[in-house]
Amino acid sequence: MFRSLSQMLAIDHPIIQAPMAGVSTPELAATVSNAGGLGSLGIGASDVVQARTAILKTQALTSRPFSVNLFCHQPAKRDEALERAWIESLRPLFAEFGGRPPEVLSEIYQSFIGHEAMLEMLLETAPAAVSFHFGVPDRDVVQAFRDKGIVTLATATRPEEALLIQANGVDVIVAQGFEAGGHRGMFDDKAHDTQLSTFALVQLLKKQVDLPVVAAGGIMDGAGIHAMLSVGADAVQLGTAFLLCPESAADDGYRQRLKFSRLHQTEMTHAISGRAARSLENDYCRHGRIVGQHAVPAYPVAYDIGKALAGLAKSHGHQGYSAHWAGQGVNLIREMPAAELLQTLVREAGL
Ligand SMILES: Cc1cc2nc3c(=O)[nH]c(=O)nc-3n(C[C@H](O)[C@H](O)[C@H](O)COP(=O)(O)O)c2cc1C
């Protein structure tokens, strides 16, 4: 029997609040879920204790389904000479704020691939859904979630990734277009980027895979939702649209930039983290443009120094090196509580 994606996820409206590591919170996810969408936690940058705490807190705030997102990147290819050169290239920027860069860099996040303790914790706490970014776990891990009744989703930026996702038994594909804010979910970050738009990718995937497809990237209002559902998307996933909700963890500097610049430019940059990510254009993007992608160490090693520089600059009141991720639709952003935003989106889209 055919089940719609909303039935599969047991949600009222086919709207997913995107997982956003460092920005989505238990309050945001629970509010969206309580309003009939699917809230998400981004735990890709968390350890097991932090992740468990966030899941338990969300479960205390809602009895509705929500999703938990994991990073499935390949281990970083370390290159000592490149890392040293990168530290030197950033030294003058640290000096501008009276600081010094770290002497060595480290891989600050552990991938979910092969992370037994994280898997065990997820199977025990059993959120309704888990989603994967930057890759997909082996079939037996996906099957372990299915055996627990946990729905699985994974990001694809091109048809080849979608076919791998399908082959590994995942239930739902999140089609992430080039417009999207935050990190691009490409499995191989060194591969040529086809830069498919959300509009083109959703339609391609609907033809090439047999799984439900969620459209992600550049969707900010009911008209965008309606457009994506019209071209075949089974649901939509919005990240940037939720950044100004009071329930998000975006800090004041981020909020100010989102609110008070009416003509935002966004840029896909490797410089901040070592992987392609769409950010509000800032000093870090400009530095990355000058030195080029090949000067940047692998993800998440580059993010180690990226966070150090952002923290130092911020302590001097300068926001220009922060990871202010945002999608191309950012100029359409609205500031309202998450429940009101979800109701507004449902009404505008005529759902
Ligand atoms: C601040 C921010 C953080 C993000 N973090 C994650 C993440 O942790 N995991 C993930 O799968 N996607 C992440 N994304 C990407 C979203 O899942 C989604 O693809 C994107 O937000 C859709 O584009 P939009 O921002 O234009 O709505 C993030 C996006 C933003 C804006």
Side-chain angles (χ1 to χ4, degrees), residues 18-21 69 71 133 176 180-182 216-218 237-240 243 254 325 327:
M20 296 183 279
N69 177 257
F71 292 161
H133 206 49
Q176 188 196 39
Q237 176 163 304
L238 287 69
T240 303
L243 288 175
Y254 200 174
W325 308 136

Side-chain angles (χ1 to χ4, degrees), residues 97 253 310-320 322:
F97 303 104
L312 175 68
K314 204 173 135 181
S315 71
H316 286 75
H318 185 89
Q319 307 291 333
S322 299

Side-chain angles (χ1 to χ4, degrees), residues 13-34:
H13 313 297
I15 301 177
I16 301 175
Q17 164 253 312
M20 296 183 279
V23 175
S24 48
T25 60
E27 291 76 14
L28 180 60
T31 304
V32 171
S33 291
N34 285 334

